[in-house]
Amino acid sequence: MIVVRLRAWRMGVRSLRLHPLRSLLTILGILVGVASVIWLLAIGQGISASVQRQIEGLGADNIIVRSIKPRRDTEDNQAARGVVKYGLTRRDFERLQETVPTIDRALPVRELRREFRRGSYLVDGRLVGCTPEYATVTHLEPDRGRFLSDADVEFKRNVCVLAASVAERLFPIEDPLGRSIRVENLYYVVIGIVKDRAPSAGIGGSLTAQDFSNDVYIPLSDLWARIGDTVVTRRSGSFEGETLELNQITLRIRSVASVLATAEIVKNTLAEFHREDDYGVTVPLELLEQAKTTRLMFMIFMGIIAAISLVVGGIGIMNIMLATVTERTREIGIRRALGAKRKDIARQFLVETVVLSIVGGLVGVVVGLTCGPMIEVTRVLLEGAFPAAMQNLPEVIRTVQPEIVGWSIPLAFGISVGVGVVFGLYPAVRAAAMDPIEALRELG
C-alpha cells in the first residue's frame, strides 16, 4: 500500500514537471494567496498594536479630564471686554480629590503658548505648568539635570525644565543648566533637560494630539502666581481673551476594576458645575477595550480578503486540472486498460493538485515572512516618489511596523492545502469517472 502511494506521488510530480510553466503559474496563484494572508494580518496587527500602545501609554488605571473651549459661547461666558471663561478649575481639582474615594492621585496641568527667548535665539512653544508627577505620567526621561521637585512647587520657584529640542535651539553652544531663559517679561533658571519624546496621537474626542518637542516645564504654582489664569490677545486695537485655570486633570485610580465606575462619578460630579461642552472625560481603559474589539474585527476582515485570494488560486488549480484531464484522456484510457482502478486515477490527479498547493504554500510562507523589509522598501520608494502624499497620511500609517501573527503561518498554509484538495476533487473524480472505452478511442 505504501509503495503504491509513493508511486502515485512520484507520478504526480513527474506529470507536473512535464509542463513547468503551467505548473509555475498555478503555484503563483497559491503563493500570492498565502503571502496575502500573512501580509495583511501582519499589517493589521502592526497598526492595531501601535494604537493599543498609545492608549496603554495613557495608563489603564487613569482617567483624563481635559478642558474644551466651547465653539459657541453663551452670554454668561462672555465678559464685556471679550474675555471668555471656561474649562476646569482649581475647585474642580479639589472637589474630585475630596469626594471620590477611589482616586489615588490627581495631577493638574496648565498649558500656554509662549515665546521662549535667550539672547537673539527664539523658540515658539508650549509652556506647561505642572507637578513632579507629570514626568512619570507622560513618560518624560531626564537627560541632564533633574525634573521639577515638590519643593519647587511648594516655594513657587522660578525654575524650568527644557525639552531637548528647545535646549538645542536656545543654547546651540553653551550648557543650558544654571542659565536663564525669558518667557515674555519673566525669567526662569534651567535646572534640567528631558530627552526627546515622540508625539502622542489624538485619542478620544477630548484628547488632542500632543507634541512634546517644544515644551518648557515650570512649577504649576509659579504659573498661577506669576502669569495667572487670563490670557489676552491684542489685535488691531481690540483684544480678546480667555480665562482658564486648568487644561487637564489626570486621575490615577487605586484599582483598574474601579476605573469605569469612577469615571461615571467624575462625569456626574463635573456635570453639576459645568456646561456640557467645556470639558471632556477620556477613559483609556474604555478605549483599550474598544481598540481590542476593533482589532479583532479588523483582523477578521483582513483575513477574509486574503482568503479570497486563496480561493481565486484554488479556482486556478481547478481550471488547470480540468484542462489537464482533457489533454490526458489517452493516458487515462491506457492506464485503465492496463488495470488501473478509478481510485488510482483519482489519487494521481489529487496528488498533483496537493503538490501544487504544498509548494505554493511553502513559497508563500517564505514570501510572507519578508513583509517587514518589503514594507520598509516600499515606504522609502513612495516617500521619494510622492513626498507630499505620504506626509498627508496619518502618522500610524506612515510609521506602521508589520508584526507577523504567529498563527497566520499555519493557517495560511493549511488553507492552501485545503484549497488544493477541495478544488482538486472535482477534476480527480471526473478523470476517474471517464469511460475507458471512450478514452481508448482517442488513440485512433
Side-chain angles (χ1 to χ4, degrees), residues 10-305:
R10 286 198 298 270
M11 291 181 62
V13 173
R14 189 181 302 116
S15 298
L16 294 175
R17 291 174 61 185
L18 293 174
H19 303 281
L21 181 59
R22 184 167 63 187
S23 299
L24 181 62
L25 292 176
T26 307
I27 289 172
L28 184 62
I30 296 296
L31 181 158
V32 171
V34 172
S36 297
V37 171
I38 298 173
W39 276 48
L40 289 175
L41 291 178
I43 293 172
Q45 173 69 6
I47 294 174
S48 300
S50 176
V51 174
Q52 285 189 227
R53 281 193 294 269
Q54 290 178 346
I55 297 173
E56 289 171 353
L58 299 175
D61 58 348
N62 289 340
I63 297 173
I64 300 171
V65 188
R66 194 163 180 86
S67 296
I68 301 175
K69 188 172 183 178
R71 294 184 180 181
R72 296 181 179 179
D73 299 308
T74 63
E75 295 179 359
D76 292 338
N77 269 350
Q78 293 181 334
R81 296 186 297 176
V83 178
V84 179
K85 183 176 182 179
Y86 69 95
L88 303 171
T89 65
R90 287 182 283 273
R91 182 62 188 128
D92 291 329
F93 177 74
E94 296 168 357
R95 186 182 294 112
L96 291 174
Q97 284 188 305
E98 294 168 356
T99 59
V100 185
T102 52
I103 293 177
D104 180 52
R105 181 176 297 176
L107 171 65
V109 178
R110 176 75 168 102
E111 303 165 357
L112 295 168
R113 298 300 303 183
R114 284 292 185 269
E115 290 183 347
F116 311 124
R117 295 180 180 271
R118 206 280 300 180
S120 60
Y121 299 104
L122 171 66
V123 174
D124 183 19
R126 184 174 64 163
L127 182 67
V128 180
C130 58
T131 57
E133 293 83 3
Y134 185 84
T136 303
V137 172
T138 56
H139 308 287
L140 296 175
E141 298 182 19
D143 185 20
R144 285 176 285 167
R146 64 177 177 84
F147 200 72
L148 303 174
S149 67
D150 291 328
D152 296 329
V153 176
E154 182 180 354
F155 296 108
K156 304 177 184 178
R157 291 173 179 167
N158 59 329
V159 295
C160 68
V161 177
L162 307 181
S165 175
V166 175
E168 291 175 3
R169 293 163 65 183
L170 291 182
F171 298 90
I173 302 175
E174 303 170 273
D175 183 1
L177 295 181
R179 300 185 180 275
S180 298
I181 67 169
R182 183 160 62 93
V183 182
E184 294 186 343
N185 60 337
L186 304 174
Y187 286 87
Y188 289 88
V189 178
V190 180
I191 60 171
I193 301 168
V194 294
K195 297 179 181 179
D196 284 325
R197 185 199 184 287
S200 65
I203 301 174
S206 61
L207 191 61
T208 57
Q210 297 188 59
D211 184 0
F212 298 86
S213 60
N214 293 325
D215 284 359
V216 172
Y217 308 100
I218 65 173
L220 179 59
S221 57
D222 180 84
L223 186 149
W224 282 338
R226 304 179 75 188
I227 298 177
D229 303 326
T230 302
V231 178
V232 176
T233 304
R234 302 183 182 277
R235 296 176 181 172
S236 304
S238 62
F239 70 90
E240 59 182 17
E242 63 179 33
T243 298
L244 177 62
E245 297 181 18
L246 289 172
N247 289 86
Q248 180 174 308
I249 301 173
T250 300
L251 306 172
R252 179 166 293 176
I253 312 305
R254 299 183 190 278
S255 170
V256 174
S258 305
V259 168
L260 298 181
T262 304
E264 289 301 316
I265 296 174
V266 169
K267 292 176 183 177
N268 294 334
T269 301
L270 293 174
E272 295 181 16
F273 303 95
H274 283 269
R275 291 174 45 181
E276 184 178 351
D277 59 350
D278 80 336
Y279 72 94
V281 179
T282 300
V283 185
L285 182 62
E286 281 185 344
L287 298 177
L288 191 59
E289 293 301 321
Q290 293 173 6
K292 289 179 180 178
T293 303
T294 303
R295 171 178 173 270
L296 179 61
M297 294 176 61
F298 186 66
M299 298 285 279
I300 293 174
F301 179 70
M302 297 289 269
I304 291 174
I305 294 176

Side-chain angles (χ1 to χ4, degrees), residues 323-399:
T324 301
V325 170
T326 303
E327 290 178 358
R328 295 163 62 182
T329 301
R330 294 183 181 183
E331 175 191 336
I332 295 170
I334 293 173
R335 290 192 62 194
R336 291 297 306 279
L338 294 176
K341 298 179 180 180
R342 288 188 175 184
K343 64 179 182 179
D344 297 323
I345 302 299
R347 182 186 297 116
Q348 179 183 348
F349 280 88
L350 193 57
V351 162
E352 293 179 19
T353 61
V354 172
V355 169
L356 289 173
S357 300
I358 290 176
V359 174
L362 291 174
V363 179
V365 168
V366 173
V367 174
L369 293 176
T370 66
C371 179
M374 292 298 294
I375 290 292
E376 189 61 34
V377 170
T378 303
R379 181 186 293 124
V380 171
L381 294 176
L382 290 176
E383 287 176 350
F386 310 101
M390 289 295 290
Q391 285 299 319
N392 290 331
L393 290 176
E395 181 74 15
V396 69
I397 301 296
R398 287 189 288 112
T399 60

Side-chain angles (χ1 to χ4, degrees), residues 397-409:
I397 301 296
R398 287 189 288 112
T399 60
V400 62
Q401 296 295 329
E403 297 182 12
I404 300 296
V405 181
W407 52 264
S408 68
I409 296 175

